[in-house]
Amino acid sequence: MPIFFDEAKGLFHLQSRNTSYMIQLVRGYAAHAYFGAKLRQNGNLDELLTFKERASFSPNPLPEDKTISLDTLPQEYPQYGTGDFRSPAYQVRLANGARATELAYKSYRIIPGKPALEGLPSVYVERESEAETLELELFDAVSGLTVYLCYTVFEDFDAIARSARFRNDSGEAMQIERALSASVDFADASYDALYLSGAWARERHVQRRRLAPGLIGISSRRGASSHQQNPFLALLRPEADERQGEVYGFSLIYSGNFTAEAEVEQFGTTRVSLGINPFDFNWKLAPGETFQTPEAVLVYSSEGLGGMSRTFHRLYRTRLCRGQFRDQERPILVNNWEATYFDFNADKIEAIAKAGSELGIELFVLDDGWFGHRDSDNSSLGDWYEDRRKLPQGLGDLARRVKETGLQFGLWVEPEMVSPDSELYRAHPDWCLHVPGRRRTEARDQLVLDMSREDVRQYLYERLSDIFSSVPVSYVKWDMNRNMTEVGSAASPAERQGEIAHRYILGLYELLERLTSEFPHILFESCSGGGGRFDPGMLYYMPQTWTSDDTDAVERLKIQYGTSIVYPVSTMGAHVSAVPNHQVERTTSLKFRGDVAMSGNFGYELDLTKFTDEEKEIAKAQIAIYKEIRGLVQQGELYRLKSPFEGGETAWMFVSPDKNEALLFYFRVLAEPNGPLRSVKLEGLDPAKDYAVVGNGKVYGGDRLMSAGLSVASVSRDFSSMMVRLKAVH
């Protein structure tokens, strides 16, 4: 059993394969006692916490015990207003205007397996034996507020999932103003903070900073998890790197406004907290009602960032992603966006599909421009009816023509948006997010539909389900191309307006659950201007995401490397596009672009009818190779060997679970005159096994490949790459 309770000591001990997490009951408070490498349950676990009287500026809730102060006690769910001056996990405003509450431990229960979260995505179990859940009941007798803290221990996955559920047990409504998912206090501040930051077309670049007194925080106030920051934060010991050292990872399963922060306080301790961003958030909790926070996933690794990443990858790939495509090899696709933009007809689409079929491609995706009167991005969003000018015989006929070439048919949609120039907006101008008397700010000539409204969700369900039922669609790219402004709803009263951003996300999740459940044969891919909503919440409904609108292979090295810090390769869409690249106008070889794209869910995003004979042969070879290796790429263990953030080289590799097969990719961005003869040390192999290089038959010991390395001296030109396949020799 992974959860133990020593009643005499008031100590809860949560154990996974390599991790322990401990909660100590201290004078009625749920205190955080330990999080780190696994400790023996039968060992001496006394005195994990040290108590000492501090100066009078750290007030004492118990006058008879000056060693207890909420300003110094490491708490599991710290509160505001009763003595703890650090960042609180929650804040509630009562009917009388008071904001001070104090949660005391009341009871606990241990639940086999893991309960689902109502209305929210979360990691799950397939068998009760995979996990165990501790639920702590905390109660504030004055206000009538009850908070349930839930901790699920995934024993074999080596991860802990946390969330909180509020219940109003009073006779009056209260306002939740802050409701985070997790808060963890560390005993010291000798850490670096690592997070993923960027912008549109430059997502999830790795940032690392040393902690110091004060606050390091990341957040989104954009209505989505955003291109700019990702709902993930890690603490690393200063000496930790990819291969060794202590790392603590915190990931939030949520797609809206979030906050994640690390606060170093006066006595050199560190508090990490994450959850819904309290900025512009308010939730009215009526008597008897409950409020559920999103789920946070906590991972400890003693094997550096790589060890942490592989834990997240295994968990998210197999216990967050769902559906029949979770474990399936993903199809190789061609998307017409950069080939045609809005200028296409059925014949042009069929020609691209036919060219793709001749190369071995398996799926064609029709992107933006097939509906309404969509000749540019300034109209028709919301009018989900085929444009008979471009497609005289309709969408069904085009899908049939594509399928006759041997390809599956996929479709782009952007359901959450509406164009002011659309039939939908003219009929329902109140269906968008807006504030009375204020302008309706447009971005990309579009407004945001109010997903908190049931009538909006029902309209979208009816239109989309009609298309998915009548057209043989195998794949859907679900896009969302702007952030929220004037966040208000005409369907909600004044006192509920602070709830709209969160209710939007809840409404989106409801619609996605409905559609993905009804159409399980469709592979859904999430997109938000590329990576603007690449988060665990969306992966629960859609097992892959368009990683970035930037398809330049050099830029993609950083984007895909940074994304892999948390997210498995099976979730990353990666395509070969035309050169000069449409985002940065860089020209790279088809081989280089292919090797980068084959490090994800592979596809093409260009006009295949314009390929030269030489390019056709290269593409055929890429597609044939990817069909052989995609199981390893999408389901194997990823090892990052060289970082694009630290020089002109990038390298990563994939290893099968049985360590019988491996795949190395090495990339050089710029050539170096008369440079060193470089090699790369591999990882994850079995040192006792011998490995043959596919293609030349050379055999190397796994120990030699990991300790002495493999030469990459032949990769010496600008924008050059190498792929090496290894198979164990029995």
Side-chain angles (χ1 to χ4, degrees):
M1 300 292 285
I3 298 178
F4 307 90
F5 180 50
D6 186 330
E7 192 166 1
K9 297 178 180 178
L11 184 66
F12 295 94
H13 186 178
L14 288 63
Q15 279 189 342
S16 63
R17 180 183 298 169
N18 299 298
T19 303
S20 283
Y21 188 106
M22 298 190 193
I23 303 165
Q24 178 84 51
L25 300 179
V26 177
R27 305 295 292 269
Y29 298 102
H32 179 71
Y34 178 80
F35 180 29
K38 186 174 183 177
L39 304 180
R40 288 181 291 120
Q41 173 59 20
N42 60 0
N44 184 354
L45 300 178
D46 296 337
E47 299 175 351
L48 290 169
L49 296 176
T50 300
F51 301 97
K52 179 181 178 181
E53 182 177 358
R54 293 290 189 173
S56 60
F57 282 93
S58 293
N60 310 110
L62 307 169
E64 70 278 12
D65 188 350
K66 296 293 194 294
T67 69
I68 302 294
S69 172
L70 298 185
D71 197 28
T72 59
L73 185 69
Q75 298 171 76
E76 281 298 309
Y77 208 63
Q79 55 250 332
Y80 166 81
T82 56
D84 190 341
F85 301 103
R86 297 165 289 177
S87 295
Y90 79 97
Q91 185 174 358
V92 171
R93 179 163 48 86
L94 306 178
N96 63 2
R99 285 138 7 254
T101 56
E102 191 165 62
L103 294 171
Y105 169 78
K106 185 175 182 180
S107 67
Y108 81 95
R109 63 174 180 148
I110 296 175
I111 307 165
K114 182 181 186 295
L117 301 189
E118 184 177 356
L120 284 164
S122 63
V123 287
Y124 59 88
V125 296
E126 292 189 337
R127 298 174 301 278
E128 278 193 350
S129 59
E130 292 179 356
E132 203 167 47
T133 298
L134 170 67
E135 184 180 84
L136 297 181
E137 181 182 0
L138 309 181
F139 181 63
D140 179 37
V142 175
S143 68
L145 173 67
T146 297
V147 175
Y148 298 92
L149 302 183
C150 288
Y151 306 77
T152 296
V153 185
F154 288 84
E155 189 168 12
D156 291 335
F157 284 99
D158 225 14
I160 297 171
R162 281 193 61 177
S163 67
R165 186 173 75 257
F166 291 68
R167 190 179 71 202
N168 183 355
D169 290 322
S170 75
E172 298 181 288
M174 57 181 68
Q175 302 289 334
I176 302 174
E177 297 181 334
R178 184 181 181 95
L180 301 188
S181 300
S183 178
V184 179
D185 287 344
F186 291 85
D188 66 276
S190 182
Y191 293 101
D192 292 351
L194 184 143
Y195 52 95
L196 306 174
S197 162
W200 174 79
R202 187 169 38 83
E203 298 92 341
R204 290 173 301 286
H205 283 206
V206 178
Q207 308 292 335
R208 184 168 178 170
R209 298 165 55 190
R210 184 65 51 88
L211 294 188
L215 191 70
I216 288 180
I218 58 172
S219 65
S220 174
R221 295 181 292 275
R222 296 172 178 267
S225 49
S226 83
H227 300 86
Q228 289 70 24
Q229 305 291 351
N230 197 262
F232 164 79
L233 179 68
L235 293 192
L236 305 79
R237 292 298 184 184
E239 70 278 6
D241 56 25
E242 271 291 323
R243 297 158 187 80
Q244 59 82 38
E246 287 193 314
V247 179
Y248 297 84
F250 301 84
S251 175
L252 186 66
I253 304 179
Y254 189 59
S255 307
N257 295 332
F258 76 92
T259 186
E261 56 188 38
E263 180 184 21
V264 176
E265 57 79 68
Q266 59 183 328
F267 299 116
T269 64
T270 304
R271 173 169 290 175
V272 173
S273 52
L274 74 164
I276 295 173
N277 195 334
F279 177 85
D280 202 35
F281 168 81
N282 183 273
W283 192 275
K284 182 181 178 181
L285 197 65
E289 289 185 345
T290 61
F291 177 83
Q292 174 67 56
T293 73
E295 188 165 81
V297 176
L298 284 57
V299 168
Y300 165 78
S301 168
S302 62
E303 300 177 348
L305 270 172
M308 180 209 71
S309 295
R310 286 185 288 277
T311 296
F312 275 118
H313 293 175
R314 287 189 293 269
L315 182 68
Y316 283 178
R317 187 174 63 240
T318 65
R319 292 299 182 270
L320 176 67
C321 296
R322 301 178 298 163
Q324 67 184 54
F325 295 98
R326 185 191 74 178
D327 304 321
Q328 286 186 8
E329 294 181 355
R330 309 292 166 76
I332 302 170
L333 65 83
V334 58
N335 182 299
N336 71 297
W337 178 240
E338 291 194 11
T340 67
Y341 293 104
F342 297 101
D343 185 16
F344 61 83
N345 56 34
D347 290 341
K348 178 61 178 179
I349 296 303
E350 184 180 16
I352 296 175
K354 185 178 179 181
S357 177
E358 293 170 353
L359 298 176
I361 286 172
E362 300 158 318
L363 167 68
F364 175 86
V365 179
L366 178 64
D367 211 281
D368 196 355
W370 59 266
F371 54 91
H373 292 82
R374 184 80 164 170
D375 296 323
S376 68
D377 59 11
N378 64 5
S379 75
S380 300
L381 285 173
D383 298 342
W384 299 109
Y385 302 89
E386 60 225 322
D387 183 352
R388 292 282 179 154
R389 298 171 307 148
K390 295 179 183 178
L391 307 174
Q393 304 304 313
L395 201 56
D397 176 73
L398 178 64
R400 177 189 58 78
R401 292 169 65 175
V402 168
K403 290 175 72 69
E404 286 178 354
T405 70
L407 273 62
Q408 301 175 64
F409 182 71
L411 194 63
W412 177 97
V413 293
E414 192 175 2
E416 299 166 66
M417 300 293 147
V418 63
S419 301
D421 181 13
S422 68
E423 296 304 318
L424 179 66
Y425 186 76
R426 283 185 279 272
H428 299 285
D430 62 327
W431 276 14
C432 70
L433 293 176
H434 67 281
V435 175
R438 298 288 178 188
R439 70 165 182 273
R440 301 183 180 192
T441 303
E442 296 179 21
R444 201 173 179 256
D445 297 302
Q446 60 197 53
L447 300 168
V448 183
L449 284 175
D450 181 1
M451 298 294 289
S452 74
R453 295 179 60 136
E454 194 279 333
D455 51 0
V456 170
R457 299 194 300 274
Q458 182 61 24
Y459 167 79
L460 292 175
Y461 167 77
E462 290 173 359
R463 289 305 313 127
L464 295 173
S465 62
D466 181 63
I467 295 168
F468 301 161
S469 299
S470 60
V471 179
V473 175
S474 301
Y475 165 104
V476 167
K477 180 179 179 181
W478 183 294
D479 211 343
M480 192 277 283
N481 278 309
R482 63 155 292 181
N483 293 141
M484 297 180 189
T485 56
E486 294 86 45
V487 182
S489 173
S492 294
E495 68 271 17
R496 296 281 189 182
Q497 293 300 314
E499 304 173 7
I500 300 306
H502 182 55
R503 286 191 180 275
Y504 179 103
I505 298 298
L506 295 178
L508 172 63
Y509 289 157
E510 178 190 280
L511 179 61
L512 293 179
E513 180 69 28
R514 194 175 180 186
L515 288 170
T516 56
S517 298
E518 188 166 328
F519 300 96
H521 66 282
I522 294 178
L523 171 58
F524 284 86
E525 180 179 81
S526 172
C527 178
S528 176
R533 206 162 56 186
F534 202 132
D535 59 64
M538 295 304 293
L539 294 179
Y540 184 73
Y541 305 98
M542 306 183 183
Q544 62 187 57
T545 300
W546 179 228
T547 314
S548 176
D549 278 348
D550 191 341
T551 54
D552 172 63
V554 174
E555 290 299 309
R556 272 301 189 102
L557 292 174
K558 290 184 176 180
I559 293 169
Q560 291 174 207
Y561 186 100
T563 302
S564 76
I565 296 291
V566 190
Y567 303 103
V569 171
S570 63
T571 67
M572 287 190 245
H575 298 171
V576 173
S577 62
V579 291
N581 175 263
H582 290 195
Q583 289 79 44
V584 299
E585 299 187 4
R586 191 183 348 254
T587 297
T588 56
S589 71
L590 187 53
K591 172 178 168 43
F592 186 79
R593 284 174 277 155
D595 284 351
V596 174
M598 281 193 284
S599 299
N601 293 328
F602 185 51
Y604 292 83
E605 191 142 343
L606 41 69
D607 191 345
L608 298 175
T609 65
K610 295 181 179 179
F611 265 178
T612 65
D613 289 342
E614 180 184 6
E615 288 171 329
K616 288 178 183 178
E617 293 306 310
I618 294 173
K620 281 182 182 179
Q622 289 174 337
I623 292 165
I625 290 172
Y626 191 72
K627 288 178 179 178
E628 296 178 10
I629 66 172
R630 62 179 158 187
L632 179 57
V633 170
Q634 295 168 9
Q635 304 292 331
E637 297 274 279
L638 173 69
Y639 292 83
R640 294 181 295 265
L641 308 179
K642 289 185 176 292
S643 170
F645 298 98
E646 297 175 1
E649 299 174 283
T650 302
W652 48 57
M653 64 181 291
F654 305 90
V655 182
S656 63
D658 61 8
K659 299 185 182 298
N660 284 333
E661 190 176 1
L663 178 68
L664 167 70
F665 284 100
Y666 173 80
F667 308 92
R668 169 155 285 283
V669 174
L670 295 178
E672 182 181 2
N674 202 25
L677 300 178
R678 300 179 185 275
S679 62
V680 175
K681 293 182 179 180
L682 277 57
E683 294 184 37
L685 304 176
D686 185 337
K689 290 181 178 179
D690 290 328
Y691 293 87
V693 177
V694 176
N696 66 22
K698 291 183 179 179
V699 177
Y700 303 94
D703 52 351
R704 172 256 162 90
L705 290 170
M706 292 191 292
S707 298
L710 188 70
S711 173
V712 292
S714 61
V715 184
S716 57
R717 294 174 299 161
D718 289 356
F719 315 133
S720 55
S721 59
M722 179 172 75
M723 179 177 68
V724 179
R725 299 173 64 188
L726 299 168
K727 290 192 175 181
V729 178
H730 299 288

